[in-house]
C-alpha cells in the first residue's frame, strides 16, 4: 500500500506537464503584479513630488468659486493668523490669435499680485508684467503659435456680483476682452 507522500509524488510525475504550465502561469502572474505595484508606487511618488514642487510653500487655498472677496482680506487674515498669504483671482477665458485662426477655449486666467512671489522658493522672477502684458504657459504659446512680444486676444468672464445662473441675467455679453 502506498503512503500519502508516494501518491503526491506519483501524481506530480504523471501530470508534470500540467503542473509545469500552472507553475509558469503563477510565476508570470506574480511578475506582472509585482511590476505593476512597483510602477504604480513610482508614478504615485513622482506625481506627489511634482505636486509639492508646484505648490511651493502653499499649505492652504481658500476658493470662493463664483464669489469675490476684497484683496485686503488676505492682509487682514495674514496679520491675524501670522501666516503668509497672497490673493489671486482665477477666471476662465478664451484666447485667440491671428484673427481667430488659432483659438483655445476654457483657458485658466490667474491674476496675481506681488505677494505671490513669496510662495516660490528661491524665485528671482518678477511676477508683475508691464501694462498690457501677460505671462502664458509654454503649452498655450505653442498651441496659439505665439512668440515673446506677439499680440493675442484674451477674453475673460465678466466679473459680477450677481451669479450667472440668477434669473434675469443676460446670457450674452458675459466676456470682456
Amino acid at each position: 500500500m502506498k503512503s500519502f507522500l508516494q501518491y503526491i509524488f506519483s501524481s506530480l510525475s504523471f501530470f508534470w506537464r500540467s503542473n509545469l504550465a500552472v507553475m509558469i502561469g503563477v510565476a508570470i502572474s506574480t511578475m506582472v503584479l509585482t511590476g505593476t505595484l512597483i510602477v504604480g508606487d513610482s508614478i504615485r511618488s513622482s506625481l506627489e513630488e511634482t505636486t509639492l514642487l508646484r505648490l511651493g510653500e502653499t499649505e492652504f487655498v481658500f476658493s470662493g468659486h463664483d464669489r469675490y472677496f476684497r484683496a485686503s482680506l488676505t492682509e487682514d487674515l495674514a496679520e491675524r493668523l501670522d501666516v503668509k498669504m497672497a490673493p489671486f483671482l482665477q477666471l476662465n477665458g478664451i484666447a485667440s490669435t491671428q484673427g481667430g485662426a488659432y483659438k483655445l477655449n476654457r483657458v485658466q486666467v490667474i491674476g496675481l499680485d506681488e505677494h505671490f512671489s513669496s510662495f516660490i522658493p528661491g524665485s528671482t522672477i518678477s511676477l508683475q508684467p508691464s501694462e498690457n502684458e501677460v505671462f502664458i504657459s509654454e503649452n498655450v504659446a505653442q498651441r496659439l503659435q505665439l512668440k515673446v512680444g506677439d499680440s493675442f486676444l484674451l477674453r475673460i468672464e465678466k466679473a459680477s456680483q450677481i451669479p450667472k445662473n440668477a434669473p434675469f441675467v443676460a446670457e450674452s455679453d458675459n466676456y470682456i476682452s
Side-chain angles (χ1 to χ4, degrees):
M1 185 163 198
K2 288 186 175 182
S3 72
F4 184 69
L5 287 175
Q6 288 174 331
Y7 278 119
I8 291 175
F9 286 125
S10 63
S11 174
L12 287 174
S13 65
F14 185 76
F15 295 108
W16 71 272
R17 289 182 186 95
S18 299
N19 293 332
L20 180 64
V22 169
M23 287 183 355
I24 290 172
V26 167
I28 290 173
S29 298
T30 302
M31 287 188 290
V32 168
L33 287 174
T34 303
T36 302
L37 290 172
I38 290 170
V39 168
D41 187 51
S42 173
I43 289 173
R44 180 183 298 117
S45 67
S46 295
L47 289 173
E48 192 174 294
E49 185 178 323
T50 302
T51 301
L52 291 175
L53 285 172
R54 286 183 178 178
L55 287 174
E57 295 182 24
T58 304
E59 292 188 33
F60 301 100
V61 174
F62 176 74
S63 174
H65 296 287
D66 62 346
R67 305 287 186 253
Y68 299 103
F69 299 94
R70 57 188 171 87
S72 62
L73 177 63
T74 57
E75 294 170 8
D76 297 343
L77 288 173
E79 184 180 313
R80 189 171 187 182
L81 300 174
D82 195 29
V83 294
K84 285 193 307 186
M85 290 189 171
F88 68 92
L89 179 64
Q90 181 178 1
L91 300 170
N92 291 324
I94 300 170
S96 63
T97 185
Q98 299 179 8
Y102 299 101
K103 185 176 182 179
L104 286 177
N105 296 322
R106 298 188 62 163
V107 174
Q108 201 173 64
V109 181
I110 300 174
L112 305 170
D113 69 1
E114 66 278 354
H115 295 97
F116 191 76
S117 60
S118 67
F119 285 87
I120 304 170
S123 173
T124 58
I125 300 171
S126 169
L127 291 178
Q128 294 299 313
S130 302
E131 190 171 326
N132 289 324
E133 287 185 338
V134 296
F135 294 130
I136 60 173
S137 69
E138 286 185 35
N139 183 23
V140 170
Q142 288 174 356
R143 293 176 75 184
L144 292 175
Q145 296 194 0
L146 291 171
K147 294 182 256 355
V148 175
D150 287 351
S151 295
F152 72 102
L153 180 65
L154 177 65
R155 296 177 49 135
I156 58 172
E157 291 179 353
K158 189 183 288 185
S160 172
Q161 297 296 331
I162 302 170
K164 291 175 184 56
N165 61 355
F168 308 112
V169 173
E171 290 286 327
S172 63
D173 210 23
N174 282 339
Y175 288 88
I176 57 173
S177 298

